[in-house]
Amino acid sequence: MTADAPARPRRERVGTPALEPDAPAPPTDRPGRTTAGMVALALVCAALFLATLALGSVRLPLGEVLAVLTGSGAGDSTQLIVEQVRLPRAVTALIAGAALGLGGLQMQTLFRNPLADPFILGISAGASLGVALVVLAGGSGGAMLALGLGLAGGAAITAAAATGALAVTLLVLAASRRVESPATVLIIGLMVGYAVTAVVSVLVQGGFGELERVRAFVAWGFGSFAGTSWSDLVVLSATVAVGLAIGVATMKALNALLLGDAYAASMGVRVRGVRVLVVVSASLLAGAVTAFCGPIAFIGVASPHLARGLLRSSDHRVLLPATLLVGAAVALAAGLVAQLPGQDATLPLNSVTALVGAPVVVAVLLRLRRSSRAVVT
Amino acid sequence: MSVTEARPGPGGPAPRPCGNGVHPDAPPERVLSARGLAVGYRQRRRIAPVLSGLDLDLRIGQLTCLLGANGTGKTTLLRTLSGSLPPLGGTVCLGEADLTALSPADRAQRLAVVLTSRVDPGLLRVGDLVALGRHPYTGWNGRLRAADHEAIDWALEASGAAALRARPVLELSDGERQRVMIARALAQEPEILMLDEPTAFVDLPRRLELAGLLTRLARECGLAVLLTSHDLDLALRSADEVWLLGRGDRDADRRVASGAPEDLALSGALAEAFDTDTVRYDLARGRFEADGAPAPRVHVDGEGPEARWTTHAIERAGFAPASGAPARLRVAVEPGPTWRLDDGQASRHHRTLADLVTDLRSREGQRTAHQPN
């Protein structure tokens, strides 16, 4: 090689015998599939959004609902129900579902564990602890949770929830760096979650708060998209937007992390920095949702798997938007079922999400076993 | 937030402030040099050195094999040279830039690795996985430009993995997976390619294919290739230079002998590094032998592949083939082929080498049984 040879490898056709092409390479139709999948998901979300507005204890004609949305005027009662009750509920479900889905995707890649999500890793429990401390001890207004929080109260609870979430995530993350096995990390997350939940129970049931607040906290624990006011939504959407922005910024690094920390570092990823950013992002997302909607299980773990299955991709640039849409759709559907259209009663949201989520988790486990992928290594 | 440095310019190669080629008159350029390097692990306040006082160079167009028995610190040294483990002492320079001072993205544009860890890439296809190698070149959202697609095509072609492009990574065999991981590393367009135990999980023909591939990448693409291995045969067969990790009573005392594999064999360094109580390196035959009592000799008459495999069978039976020296036992290869074993008193024909081995072993058994102790 002469001294002025290029430092880059010469892209020469190396005489490497190619592997036998055992079958003609199937055309990669994934761009088409991706676009079609995204459009379908967006349509499903839109339909569920409208259904949430139209269906409830009272059934509203779709035409009137659309009239309220477009501002062309409708009956006073319809206007009131849509603007003050159903629209906040639908928007809350949309944002919360998208946020929980993204949090789940981030945790699954970061912990390299298909069953990770903010709820399973105890992050939601940490957020609950933050909420419990503010509601029971802080005492900024007796029936704060039941009556809507107001901007300042909402911000305080969100901050407490995000802090609690962050503390648990950092704890689990520190443990995950000491043990190699993803299964062990999951178990540690579960244990931390149990312990934190137990602390919350002691605080709530141990007579540390007034009965009315305790009752409100217990109701909050069942999970609900109803009861968020427009001012709550400002805090929720702003926090989720920050979490989402960080999520989008770390999307490329998450792709590299699919190959593991060592490979990611060799490709120029600042692994430690990315890990911190992802944890902060997931804590903001899970914390904000938990503060307003209660600890909601399963949307986080199920949405990324549904998105992967629908779009047949592990690329986070595809998965991130898809998971947002799937999460929103699942949350809207679960919220719709929880409202029991036509009935006066409502179901606890967590029961409904579990009914959707549990089969998904089981299906994923069965699929992994069939393709003999070592989940537990 | 910026995970990687911005791409230096549209299309063009990155500016290289530190020129390669420290000695313009020395034909192969040095791309990586270690001086006074000490490697090992820091655990809190305790320092566990593994190797120290190393002076090593990697050159463009050369295949270097870091050779040592298991547990001699090959991976530790590789991790230090690739910048994933900080050195305990001394320096590692990439060109003239200190490795530890380079930004991760700059380093990734010049040095790529293939590790032993098995990746679980989910639903990624081969093309997607190789495209991940463009990470240090792409912008914040990882979108691939024309230059990136060119590099990916080249990497797949150069590693012979182009036919695998649309296959899901999960469905690949170990050998195919190996090629794909090499293609991913090549997509980084590095000057230096480092591979940790690339032959550990592949069968012998794949191993030779791999050695051929790495040699071509070094010669034809101008890469400096470093691989760790405990496979002496592979190193002797293909390496331009061997870094031999010796054994020592104290870790910190151990040195690395470097040179052409043949020079290391003749100087006895190979034997020193690999011999144990029960296995020794046979310099004349160029391979390891189990230590034992001197074997009785057998003379072989014959030529060509038949004689070659007859010799092999005789060695397997525990005898020493001797072609020139006189010996009590003689084996003649006759057309067919058949084999005639003559012990000076009687001779017997055998149709297969298996029969010959059985016969030889039974004679040896009689001989030792009749010997008075």
Side-chain angles (χ1 to χ4, degrees):
Chain A
M1 172 156 289
T2 49
D4 61 348
R8 299 232 156 232
R10 300 179 310 244
R11 281 207 205 133
E12 277 171 18
R13 295 204 160 243
V14 193
T16 303
L19 294 175
E20 287 291 308
D22 48 351
T28 41
D29 58 343
R30 277 172 303 147
R33 179 172 193 149
T34 304
T35 316
M38 294 287 185
V39 170
L41 281 174
L43 289 176
V44 169
C45 275
L48 285 166
F49 191 85
L50 287 178
T52 305
L53 296 183
L55 303 175
S57 49
V58 182
R59 185 157 180 266
L60 301 177
L62 203 56
E64 283 191 41
V65 170
L66 286 172
V68 174
L69 287 182
T70 52
S72 54
D76 278 350
S77 62
T78 307
Q79 181 98 18
L80 192 71
I81 291 175
V82 171
E83 273 187 358
Q84 294 305 316
V85 181
R86 297 216 180 145
L87 200 52
R89 185 194 297 162
V91 173
T92 305
L94 193 78
I95 294 175
L100 289 173
L102 176 55
L105 178 64
Q106 289 173 319
M107 293 297 99
Q108 286 175 12
T109 302
L110 192 68
F111 286 96
R112 269 193 294 291
N113 193 314
L115 292 179
D117 88 329
F119 193 89
I120 290 177
L121 289 172
I123 300 170
S124 298
S128 302
L129 181 60
V131 172
L133 288 175
V134 170
V135 171
L136 299 177
S140 52
M144 192 162 70
L145 279 164
L147 299 176
L149 302 167
L151 200 58
I157 287 212
T158 306
T163 309
L166 190 64
V168 170
T169 320
L170 289 177
L171 199 66
V172 176
L173 198 66
S176 80
R177 304 207 58 191
R178 285 168 188 268
V179 293
E180 284 291 310
S181 156
T184 313
V185 174
L186 207 63
I187 293 168
I188 291 173
L190 280 172
M191 292 304 127
V192 172
Y194 284 140
V196 173
T197 309
V199 172
V200 174
S201 300
V202 169
L203 283 178
V204 172
Q205 306 293 342
F208 291 97
E210 289 167 22
L211 193 62
E212 199 180 345
R213 294 187 198 174
V214 168
R215 207 172 281 158
F217 185 85
V218 170
W220 167 88
F222 289 132
S224 172
F225 296 133
T228 34
S229 65
W230 283 112
S231 63
D232 296 340
L233 269 175
V234 170
V235 179
L236 176 63
S237 54
T239 315
V240 169
V242 174
L244 178 62
I246 301 176
V248 169
T250 49
M251 177 171 76
K252 176 184 161 186
L254 285 183
N255 271 347
L257 280 169
L258 282 177
L259 301 184
D261 290 355
Y263 269 119
S266 85
M267 290 189 276
V269 176
R270 296 173 195 269
V271 174
R272 196 169 295 184
V274 166
R275 205 184 270 138
V276 169
L277 281 175
V278 171
V279 163
V280 167
S281 167
S283 302
L284 285 175
L285 293 169
V289 174
T290 307
F292 292 102
C293 308
I296 295 172
F298 285 112
I299 292 181
V301 69
S303 304
H305 289 298
L306 287 172
R308 282 190 202 100
L310 281 172
L311 299 173
R312 306 299 304 162
S313 175
S314 284
D315 184 345
H316 288 81
R317 289 171 296 160
V318 175
L319 280 184
L320 191 143
T323 306
L324 294 178
L325 289 172
V326 171
V330 171
L332 284 165
L336 201 58
V337 173
Q339 287 301 319
L340 289 177
Q343 311 276 316
D344 276 336
T346 56
L347 293 175
L349 186 62
N350 258 327
S351 314
V352 180
T353 56
L355 285 174
V356 179
V360 170
V361 173
V362 172
V364 166
L365 281 176
L366 291 177
R367 194 181 69 84
L368 289 180
R369 204 180 65 98
R370 204 184 314 143
S371 63
S372 72
R373 263 175 68 189
V375 188
V376 182
T377 46
Chain B
M1 143 28 269
S2 154
V3 180
T4 61
E5 302 303 309
R7 197 190 166 108
R16 300 190 179 280
C18 40
N20 299 315
V22 184
H23 297 298
D25 45 333
E29 290 178 60
R30 272 193 282 198
V31 282
L32 182 137
S33 49
R35 291 291 173 267
L37 183 67
V39 306
Y41 294 91
R42 275 192 192 86
Q43 287 166 334
R44 294 171 197 273
R45 269 175 236 155
R46 211 167 60 83
I47 290 177
V50 176
L51 292 160
S52 56
L54 309 177
D55 294 326
L56 301 164
D57 291 302
L58 282 182
R59 293 169 193 281
I60 272 187
Q62 288 208 341
L63 182 67
T64 305
C65 185
L66 173 51
L67 190 65
N70 286 330
T72 46
K74 295 190 294 285
T75 300
T76 312
L77 179 52
L78 189 88
R79 290 187 60 202
T80 310
L81 291 175
S82 66
S84 70
L85 191 70
L88 292 183
T91 55
V92 180
C93 285
L94 210 56
E96 279 167 8
D98 194 300
L99 188 64
T100 52
L102 279 174
S103 81
D106 277 348
R107 194 183 66 210
Q109 293 186 2
R110 305 172 65 172
L111 192 157
V113 296
V114 176
L115 304 170
T116 43
S117 61
R118 200 179 164 85
V119 298
D120 178 11
L123 300 164
L124 285 188
R125 282 160 199 270
V126 169
D128 303 330
L129 190 143
V130 174
L132 289 180
R134 297 306 293 170
H135 193 284
Y137 296 92
T138 53
W140 69 274
N141 64 357
R143 204 165 58 86
L144 300 173
R145 302 166 206 224
D148 299 315
H149 285 295
E150 254 172 52
I152 293 164
D153 292 344
W154 168 77
L156 281 164
E157 187 105 353
S159 57
L164 303 172
R165 184 168 205 149
R167 294 257 305 273
V169 177
L170 278 175
E171 292 175 5
L172 300 181
S173 71
D174 283 342
E176 291 170 330
R177 199 178 260 261
Q178 181 78 261
R179 279 185 187 236
V180 169
M181 293 316 284
I182 291 173
R184 188 214 57 81
L186 290 179
Q188 281 175 246
E189 293 187 278
E191 298 154 24
I192 304 168
L193 177 63
M194 295 187 181
L195 305 97
D196 194 10
E197 294 281 357
T199 58
F201 299 109
V202 292
D203 55 20
L204 189 61
R206 294 298 152 269
R207 220 173 279 183
L208 297 181
E209 254 177 45
L210 182 74
L213 168 63
L214 295 178
T215 307
R216 276 190 301 275
L217 287 175
R219 302 272 191 290
E220 293 169 33
C221 301
L223 284 164
V225 180
L226 172 67
L227 67 134
T228 68
S229 181
H230 56 258
D231 186 346
L232 181 61
D233 188 50
L234 179 92
L236 289 174
R237 205 184 279 266
S238 46
D240 295 301
E241 184 167 312
V242 168
W243 297 348
L244 190 64
L245 293 184
R247 271 189 290 251
D249 292 336
R250 280 183 50 210
D251 277 345
D253 290 343
R254 291 188 300 126
R255 290 286 182 274
V256 176
S258 62
E262 298 80 6
D263 288 334
L264 292 176
L266 285 174
S267 74
L270 280 185
E272 194 185 318
F274 280 95
D275 281 3
T276 65
D277 292 343
T278 51
V279 176
R280 67 189 173 79
Y281 190 72
D282 187 320
L283 195 59
R285 286 198 234 166
R287 64 183 201 197
F288 287 101
E289 300 293 343
D291 245 353
R297 291 194 302 193
V298 177
H299 182 86
V300 182
D301 281 332
E303 281 178 344
E306 287 85 2
R308 156 86 187 77
W309 286 104
T310 306
T311 308
H312 192 275
I314 289 169
E315 280 176 1
R316 192 161 59 81
F319 291 76
S323 52
R328 188 174 62 88
L329 292 167
R330 304 176 68 88
V331 172
V333 185
E334 297 180 341
T338 58
W339 289 267
R340 188 161 50 80
L341 176 61
D342 190 338
D343 61 1
Q345 294 159 6
S347 71
R348 226 188 282 177
H349 262 89
H350 294 293
R351 293 176 161 279
T352 64
L353 285 173
D355 293 344
L356 178 68
V357 167
T358 312
D359 192 2
L360 277 172
R361 281 196 177 138
S362 73
R363 279 161 196 267
E364 180 62 8
Q366 286 163 18
R367 190 172 66 88
T368 47
H370 290 165
Q371 268 176 353
N373 281 2

